[in-house]
Amino acid sequence: MRPAAALRAALVCALVLGALTGCSREYDAEDLQYAGDYSSHPPLAVVGYPSTGTLRITQQVVWRIADGKADALASLADDAQDEGTTKKTAENWIAAFRKGAGGKVTAEFYDEGSYRQTVVLYLHDTGQIKEIYVLPGSTDYRNVWRVSMGEPDPAEATAVAPWVPKKPGELGSTVLP
């Protein structure tokens, strides 16, 4: 290849690479943390129809419980509760569910996830069941999903609602009773 043709080819490649890089999404620290968490935790089995946001927040809840990170878990909470309630709820969830969250977990997503979604976590290693609610919130410039964390009483944090099936998929992951 002649030097002029090689130079043109290199310039074209540089322009194409620059254009593609400019169009790609920037990854922030939160995205990098999520990628690291995803690769270092057991996969979450899913039943029902999560949105990308409801699945992501549910995975993060399970990971933070499994890792025993109360502050990190509390940081996923919605703004409906005060900081003390959120922190105590995070501590309760970790105390009650940490062992099970570190193993095989199935998350069953009820109804559709555009406004809010009820999620039932089945912790297979311990036989425990945990119901959570995920809902949209906003932080700074982007929409994010949050988890409702208003269970400062350990008995409330571990209670299972009567409608919750004993096994994933028994209600068909649709409208709640």
Side-chain angles (χ1 to χ4, degrees):
M1 183 179 277
R2 295 190 326 237
L7 180 59
R8 259 182 278 159
L11 286 173
V12 168
C13 287
L15 285 172
V16 169
L17 181 61
L20 291 174
T21 302
C23 294
S24 69
R25 180 174 170 245
E26 280 189 47
Y27 288 96
D28 60 14
E30 188 177 313
D31 291 327
L32 293 174
Q33 174 71 40
Y34 181 81
D37 281 338
Y38 191 87
S39 65
S40 63
H41 291 89
L44 184 69
V46 174
V47 176
Y49 303 97
S51 69
T52 302
T54 60
L55 177 58
R56 182 177 174 134
I57 190 75
T58 300
Q59 288 176 311
Q60 290 174 318
V61 166
V62 172
W63 297 337
R64 299 301 167 261
I65 292 171
D67 294 343
K69 295 182 177 180
D71 289 335
L73 178 57
S75 74
L76 302 175
D78 68 335
D79 295 332
Q81 303 297 322
D82 65 70
E83 189 176 324
T85 298
T86 299
K87 177 75 172 181
K88 184 63 179 153
T89 300
E91 292 167 355
N92 288 338
W93 289 6
I94 289 168
F97 303 109
R98 185 173 185 183
K99 183 178 178 185
K104 183 178 179 199
V105 178
T106 298
E108 183 162 13
F109 293 80
Y110 284 87
D111 298 320
E112 58 90 27
S114 63
Y115 174 68
R116 152 187 131 140
Q117 203 158 26
T118 299
V119 183
V120 177
L121 303 173
Y122 294 90
L123 309 161
H124 297 281
D125 292 354
T126 59
Q128 295 171 294
I129 298 172
K130 175 67 187 147
E131 177 186 4
I132 64 172
Y133 298 99
V134 295
L135 55 154
S138 68
T139 302
D140 300 327
Y141 60 92
R142 61 184 182 171
N143 290 326
V144 296
W145 284 83
R146 311 311 281 162
V147 63
S148 179
M149 295 182 69
E151 300 172 345
D153 176 6
E156 182 182 13
T158 57
V160 179
W163 70 266
V164 174
K166 302 290 183 227
K167 295 180 185 173
E170 287 184 348
L171 290 180
S173 304
T174 56
V175 180
L176 299 173

